[in-house]
């Protein structure tokens, strides 16, 4: 392998069982995976844990990448699923073992990011949407969070472009009141 190998090529080689390509692929995608996980999870430690889960899933399931779509599209699916799973795990853990907040660990609103709070709200909204309209979650995640173009999202979800746009409209309509605090 050369020094500069496109990630798409590494992914195809890794999918065929090339262990050196898997190692190199994981090394190449790690920064992007961490960035994408950070879009979902406001706490850096949680994003890092989710990123490790993503890399583990990629290593375990790269043979399932068939190359019909771009590797990035396949990877976004893994990122979205791992982040949503990590959020559910954190939420479940917090509900099972409510811990008293030490005064030294209390959140200082002057240093807390408003964006971080909105990401938590978005994860909660996605969780609610999945309970009520599960078919609307993937289009919303792929388009509005992963920022894939409409054609890629339609291909990934396996629906016509018109149907995708309709589902996106409905998904946004559903989550808007929840994000506004409703």
């Amino acid at each position: 392998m050369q020094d500069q190998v496109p990630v798409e090529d590494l992914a195809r080689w890794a999918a065929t069982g090339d262990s050196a390509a898997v190692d190199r692929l994981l090394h190449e995608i790690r920064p992007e995976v961490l960035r994408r996980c950070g879009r979902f999870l406001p706490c850096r430690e949680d994003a890092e844990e989710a990123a490790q889960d993503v890399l583990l899933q990629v290593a375990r399931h790269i043979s399932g990448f068939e190359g019909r779509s771009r590797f990035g599209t396949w990877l976004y699916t893994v990122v979205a699923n791992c982040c949503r799973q990590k959020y559910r795990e954190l939420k479940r853990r917090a509900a099972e073992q409510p811990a008293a907040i030490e005064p030294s660990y209390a959140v200082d609103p002057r240093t807390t990011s408003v964006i971080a709070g909105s990401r938590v709200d978005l994860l909660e909204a996605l969780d609610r949407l999945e309970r009520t309209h599960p078919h609307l979650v993937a289009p919303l995640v792929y388009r509005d969070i992963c920022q894939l173009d409409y054609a890629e999202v339609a291909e990934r979800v396996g629906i016509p472009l018109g149907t995708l746009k309709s589902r996106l409209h409905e998904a946004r309509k559903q989550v808007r009141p929840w994000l506004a605090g409703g």
Side-chain angles (χ1 to χ4, degrees):
M1 280 188 281
Q2 306 165 351
D3 285 345
Q4 295 295 326
V5 178
V7 169
E8 294 291 326
D9 291 341
L10 284 174
R12 279 194 296 278
W13 296 338
T16 66
D18 182 335
S19 61
V22 172
D23 292 342
R24 190 143 172 214
L25 177 66
L26 295 175
H27 176 75
E28 291 291 323
I29 65 172
R30 189 184 190 323
E32 179 65 17
V33 165
L34 186 54
R35 244 186 324 279
R36 294 220 175 256
C37 289
R39 286 186 178 172
F40 282 93
L41 300 162
C43 176
R44 180 158 178 85
E45 290 82 11
D46 297 340
E48 287 173 350
E49 281 185 36
Q52 288 302 316
D53 292 345
V54 169
L55 296 173
L56 183 60
Q57 291 300 315
V58 169
R60 284 184 178 162
H61 301 289
I62 189 65
S63 62
F65 173 63
E66 299 171 350
R68 287 184 290 163
S69 61
R70 291 184 357 202
F71 173 71
T73 304
W74 184 85
L75 180 62
Y76 296 152
T77 305
V78 178
V79 168
N81 289 339
C82 285
C83 287
R84 291 175 57 227
Q85 183 60 39
K86 175 58 66 182
Y87 172 72
R88 285 188 206 109
E89 176 187 317
L90 292 167
K91 191 173 154 185
R92 185 177 56 247
R93 211 179 309 156
E96 289 171 357
Q97 302 173 354
I101 297 176
E102 298 292 325
S104 61
Y105 294 112
V107 175
D108 181 350
R110 296 168 298 173
T111 60
T112 302
S113 167
V114 174
I115 295 170
S118 68
R119 282 186 272 175
V120 170
D121 295 342
L122 177 60
L123 287 166
E124 182 61 33
L126 289 172
D127 212 31
R128 287 176 74 177
L129 185 63
E130 188 160 40
R131 287 192 300 268
T132 58
H133 302 90
H135 65 288
L136 300 178
V137 174
L140 187 66
V141 168
Y142 291 142
R143 178 68 191 135
D144 290 357
I145 297 172
C146 297
Q147 299 175 338
L148 300 179
D149 64 40
Y150 288 99
E152 256 187 304
V153 176
E155 176 189 335
R156 192 73 182 129
V157 178
I159 58 177
L161 191 58
T163 304
L164 168 73
K165 289 180 178 182
S166 172
R167 286 186 185 179
L168 268 172
H169 175 75
E170 182 62 25
R172 290 169 179 156
K173 188 172 95 179
Q174 290 290 324
V175 300
R176 193 171 292 122
W178 301 331
L179 293 175

